Amino acid sequence: MDSIIKNLQSEVYVPITPDPIWTPITKELSEMTIALVTCAGVHLKSDKRFNLAGDTGFRKVPGDVESDDLMVSHGGYDNSDVNKDINCMFPIDRIRELAKEGFIKSIAPINFGVMGGGGDIEAFTNETGPKIAKLLGEEKVDAVILTAG
Amino acid sequence: MILQRAIEDSGIPTVLIAALPPVARQNGSPRIVSPKVPMGANAGEPNNIEMQTNIVRDTLEQLIKIETPGTIVPLPYEYEAKV
């Protein structure tokens, strides 16, 4: 039997799911500092826009920023909703309201926007991702909400 | 998902609000919630504070509830973009 199937290969593309990654929760929500990270191209209006042709950089968003001072530069999705209200992709006002009512402890002092949805996957995986993770760790962030895809 | 995995791998738990949840699971996202939203309004209808708050609050609750990597939890909120 082995000799029969040995040189056969499926013509159907089978995507490979990467190995599971898991960090357990150790705190109550009311004790957590939560950061927002989005691949939707969010950044300060005063910051450098993303290069719509491909950009593996990231932009820092302070936790106390006015949401009116944020904008999006991203060529990969319809920006019309997020241009009306940044919170529909980057719910920073909602997180702060939940912190005010005590549902969580606080919003992180630093949050992040990148322009995801493709591009240099290797750079995102080996450079951008670990850099952002390290900065979040330095800010003692307890958990992260992401919006993407 | 790449960023989510990098952050989770560094020891910080994460949850993703996804408009395309099967793609997120395929790419190894550890925790996924999926309101019925289009790409571009993952956290809910623009200027609908009530919907956005509910989505964010439920997302945080699922952050601590989900026990298995790759779990998708649908959220009962719907927004259809007018295009």
Side-chain angles (χ1 to χ4, degrees):
Chain A
M1 191 67 182
D2 277 357
S3 59
I4 298 171
I5 60 168
K6 196 176 174 188
N7 294 316
L8 289 179
Q9 185 181 342
S10 171
E11 290 177 355
V12 181
Y13 172 65
V14 182
I16 296 164
T17 298
D19 288 336
I21 288 187
W22 189 254
T23 297
I25 302 288
T26 56
K27 280 186 179 179
E28 300 285 327
L29 279 175
S30 59
E31 294 169 8
M32 283 192 194
T33 295
I34 303 286
L36 269 178
V37 175
T38 183
C39 300
V42 174
H43 56 83
L44 287 166
K45 284 178 181 169
S46 58
D47 213 336
K48 197 181 169 206
R49 299 179 64 134
F50 289 107
N51 177 354
L52 301 189
D55 197 327
T56 58
F58 60 84
R59 306 286 184 269
K60 291 183 185 177
V61 179
D64 60 357
V65 71
E66 289 289 329
S67 47
D68 283 347
D69 291 334
L70 296 172
M71 64 172 281
V72 159
S73 52
H74 194 306
Y77 70 99
D78 185 344
N79 301 160
S80 47
D81 279 341
V82 81
N83 287 342
K84 287 179 209 155
D85 175 13
I86 201 84
N87 285 288
C88 72
M89 265 325 253
F90 198 72
I92 187 165
D93 289 328
R94 305 294 87 82
I95 298 262
R96 288 190 290 224
E97 287 156 9
L98 288 171
K100 210 172 170 188
E101 70 175 59
F103 188 76
I104 58 168
K105 186 178 159 202
S106 58
I107 187 164
I110 292 292
N111 304 269
F112 292 91
V114 304
M115 194 187 81
D120 188 342
I121 300 300
E122 215 159 277
F124 277 117
T125 307
N126 299 326
E127 292 165 34
T128 316
K131 264 188 212 164
I132 290 174
K134 185 165 176 281
L135 291 167
L136 290 167
E138 285 169 7
E139 296 291 347
K140 305 264 183 279
V141 166
D142 295 305
V144 176
I145 293 181
L146 295 101
T147 57
Chain B
M1 282 63 84
I2 293 175
L3 292 190
Q4 186 183 14
R5 286 176 60 83
I7 296 164
E8 186 92 17
D9 196 33
S10 78
I12 303 172
T14 62
V15 58
L16 172 71
I17 309 176
L20 305 170
V23 179
R25 175 155 60 190
Q26 187 69 65
N27 285 292
S29 168
R31 298 178 194 79
I32 305 155
V33 295
S34 62
K36 290 179 184 139
V37 292
M39 280 178 74
N42 294 32
E45 183 177 10
N47 300 312
N48 185 337
I49 293 177
E50 189 188 351
M51 184 191 287
Q52 293 172 1
T53 302
N54 284 332
I55 288 175
V56 175
R57 191 186 280 117
D58 286 11
T59 299
L60 287 162
E61 281 173 354
Q62 291 305 325
L63 166 75
I64 58 173
K65 270 189 198 158
I66 292 173
E67 292 180 339
T68 310
T71 299
I72 298 171
V73 178
L75 299 184
Y77 310 104
E78 184 164 1
Y79 161 57
E80 205 172 316
K82 291 163 196 74
V83 285

